Amino acid sequence: MTVTEDRPNYKWVGTRPIRPDGYDKVVGKARFAADLNLPGQLHAAILRSPHGHARVLSIDTTAAEAMPGVKAVVTSADFPELDASNPERDVAENLMARGVVLYVGHALAAVAASTKAEAAAAVAAIEVEYELLPVVLSLDESMAEGAPLVNEHNVTMFVESDGPSNLATVNALERGDVDAAFEAADLVVEREFETAWVHQGYIEPHACVVDVGLDGKADIWASSQGHFRVRSQTAAVLGWDTARVKVTPAEIGGGFGGKTTIYLEPVAVRLSEKSGRPVKIVMSREEVLRATGPAPASKARVRIAATNDGELTAIEGWLGYAVGCTNDMAGFIGAMSVASYKFPNLKLEATASLTNTPKSAAYRAPSAPQAAFAIESVIDEIAQQLDMDPIELRLKNAVVEGDPTAMGMPHPRIGFVECLEAIRESDHYRSPVPEGAARGIGTGFWFNIGEQSSATVNLNEDGTATVITGSPDIGGSRASMALMAAEELGIDVHRITPVVADTESVGFTDVTEGSRATFATGMAVVNACRELIDELKARAATILGVDADAVDWLDGEAVADGKDPLSLAAITAKAKGTGGPLTVTASLNAGGAGPSFAVHCCDLAVDEETGQVTILGYTAAQDAGTAIHPSYVEGQMQGGTVQGIGWALNEEYIYDDEGSMENASFLDYRVPVASDLPMIGTIIVEVPNPAHPYGVRGVGETGIVPPMATIANAISRATSVRMTSLPMSPPKILAALDDR
């Protein structure tokens, strides 16, 4: 279902062609990084720390180097020590331990050998002597006075610092008179909340193949969310110029933010350089869970003031994020994500602190789900205490264009009210709550970003087109680029071939994150097409013998008064005689990314004997601006919802006292499967973003923000128990029921 404001009647934008990469993926022809094999290729294995925190006194690789099949061994000694001012220092430190291991799974050394078994045997033969250090595993431990340092190189950002600290960032936001607002309030609700570390759960593990030539240049094939970032981070860690690194993007089997950084590529480069052979590294699932970045664990204290008629007059809160072993911006981004309600009086502090766990990574709207879980839960409790419809309460306080976010920036044109109204008018919300069940509402916000993108559009002699971009297709961007190009050029979308090119074949493009690809890279495609149309009109004028300003472009044809129309194919067929190849490259640093809002509605039942939650029905409404390919938008909404359901009910990292993850497999770290879920209904709301030619807003991230609070709010209405700790697993629910 789509709810649309008045917008142009597009021919291709908004249609649902079969995805360009669909056939190859369905029949197994798509090539991921782990599928590539080069002649003479070696296999690598990585030695990882068994300790949560320890000083490395010595590493002896002598035995490993002498073992059968071994061609190269590397340790941190094979990598330059980056200056503290280098923005990739934390990446380098996480990639290979520098004198101190910071978590169980931290890489210490790597071996390249002829077979996987030989590499694994050689890794096992490396001898390491450790001095154990205190392990810090929680936010409270990290922030306690006199706490052991997690990372002696860390310095707090955004505040004056007098030396190493466990604090990563501290941000304070304030407006109005919070104390007076609470004093005057009719109702105040205050709660504390806690969430666990959770993983993105992508099916494809991290992998790469690297071949360093005799010229000293590295060819890298990698599955990532941004091969230009793979290039820049790899070069930085190695101390190389970026010109020495070429990265070819393989297909990507899921990322959700977790593949926006590197874990393997520089290691493979050094092994290939040492051995003179190509090297492949593929992580195991256990390595992925132990040694790549989960979303931060969090704690929050939130209190909100309201009047008896439902006006939310003030919010005061503290948001804390446990970000792992190196500095991270999670706290700052968490503060940015508080933006859905007017709150004339506001006082927030957002903090991130280090723990002896893997360096955290982005996970779909990073930091926003944790904040929304706390704030949306308190708002729902206010609605319950005021006996107010939860949507009407939110509508009364929802931000509109011009209202400030917590950061103080005014909202541009947004669709939050429209999303609330769409759920209110939906068949789901207007239907009776199933017997024995309860219904919950939750909302979410993500600000989206623009950044740098490039695109090249080539017109072929037969009138077909090739659209070349540098954004890996992690959510349907090939189809979106083709649809926008078809709309601009006026040709059938099936006559357009979208290509994701390597770092030497297309202009610089930032990593696919922040829901930016369709917005920013799509804008580059549109700009290139529009420049091409100007050139096509000029070529047509030459062919027709008229002035260029006498030619218009209409439905894929050049039109001039008194002349027969010229199709695009007719013009390209004569390109050689009218000026040569027809190709345009456009690059930009896109601004104006439109914020996105979502509103979710969930019906569920709680078995009070087992604590089991069964979701009976779920509907998500989200503002997409304009849905370029509605099927992809619906898929993003449903995918984010499913991951949020897992975060709410099942998923968590479980550590023992020494910092070893006890559930490092998909058998024990349980993500939702189809049998756990109902059909998830979607309502696409289209409030076009005025900063984009087709009104695009990013949609990939907002959908994961509401589910945790939506489900918690339904559980509260089903049981009269307010759950404040994620996951809301059966043991936790049973314990809460016993305490009623």
Side-chain angles (χ1 to χ4, degrees), residues 13 112 124 139 158 184 200 212 277 334 476 536 616 682 693 729:
V13 166
L139 201 59
F158 305 130
Q200 300 84 355
V212 178
R277 304 262 291 273
L536 286 165
L616 306 173
T682 57
S729 57

Side-chain angles (χ1 to χ4, degrees), residues 72-224:
V73 179
V74 297
T75 67
S76 62
D78 293 282
F79 298 88
E81 187 72 35
L82 300 189
D83 185 82
S85 62
N86 192 308
E88 305 301 347
R89 176 171 178 162
D90 285 348
V91 172
E93 188 173 19
N94 187 57
L95 187 116
M96 189 67 72
R98 308 299 175 97
V100 178
V101 292
L102 301 175
Y103 58 93
V104 173
H106 200 169
L108 281 160
V111 173
S114 299
T115 67
K116 295 178 184 177
E118 288 171 337
V123 159
I126 297 174
E127 297 181 0
V128 184
E129 184 181 359
Y130 299 96
E131 175 192 346
L132 298 186
L133 299 172
V135 177
V136 176
L137 294 175
S138 73
L139 201 59
D140 289 341
E141 291 175 324
S142 177
M143 298 182 67
E145 187 175 351
L149 283 177
V150 169
N151 183 336
E152 60 191 18
H153 297 138
N154 181 69
V155 177
T156 308
M157 296 173 63
F158 305 130
V159 295
E160 289 190 14
S161 178
D162 56 2
S165 168
N166 284 342
L167 289 178
T169 59
V170 177
N171 297 93
L173 307 170
E174 190 168 359
R175 66 169 176 254
D177 190 335
V178 170
D179 292 339
F182 277 104
E183 183 68 26
D186 297 316
L187 174 65
V188 174
V189 174
E190 182 173 0
R191 291 279 186 180
E192 294 190 6
F193 299 87
E194 185 174 16
T195 73
W197 287 282
V198 293
H199 199 269
Q200 300 84 355
Y202 36 80
I203 300 302
E204 178 207 24
H206 295 261
C208 69
V209 176
V210 175
D211 188 12
V212 178
L214 294 176
D215 59 358
K217 295 185 67 174
D219 274 326
I220 299 175
W221 292 263
S223 297
S224 80

Side-chain angles (χ1 to χ4, degrees), residues 19-21 467 469 471-484 498 500 512 517-518 521 525 632 636:
R19 57 190 294 169
D21 54 327
V467 175
T469 68
S471 291
D473 188 347
I474 66 170
S477 58
R478 285 188 182 96
S480 298
M481 302 307 147
L483 284 165
M484 285 183 276
V500 182
T512 299
T518 303
T521 305
V525 169
Y632 276 126
Q636 292 283 2

Side-chain angles (χ1 to χ4, degrees), residues 285 438 546 676:
R285 179 62 56 191
V546 300
D676 297 319

Side-chain angles (χ1 to χ4, degrees), residues 559-578:
V559 179
D561 289 342
K563 303 288 185 178
D564 291 335
L566 277 178
S567 69
L568 185 148
I571 300 169
T572 57
K574 297 184 177 182
K576 185 173 183 179
T578 59

Side-chain angles (χ1 to χ4, degrees), residues 327-353:
N327 208 296
D328 187 277
M329 299 278 284
F332 176 67
I333 298 171
M336 291 179 68
S337 73
V338 180
S340 300
Y341 303 102
K342 297 179 187 293
F343 289 128
N345 304 286
L346 176 147
K347 186 176 183 179
L348 292 176
E349 182 179 295
T351 300
S353 197

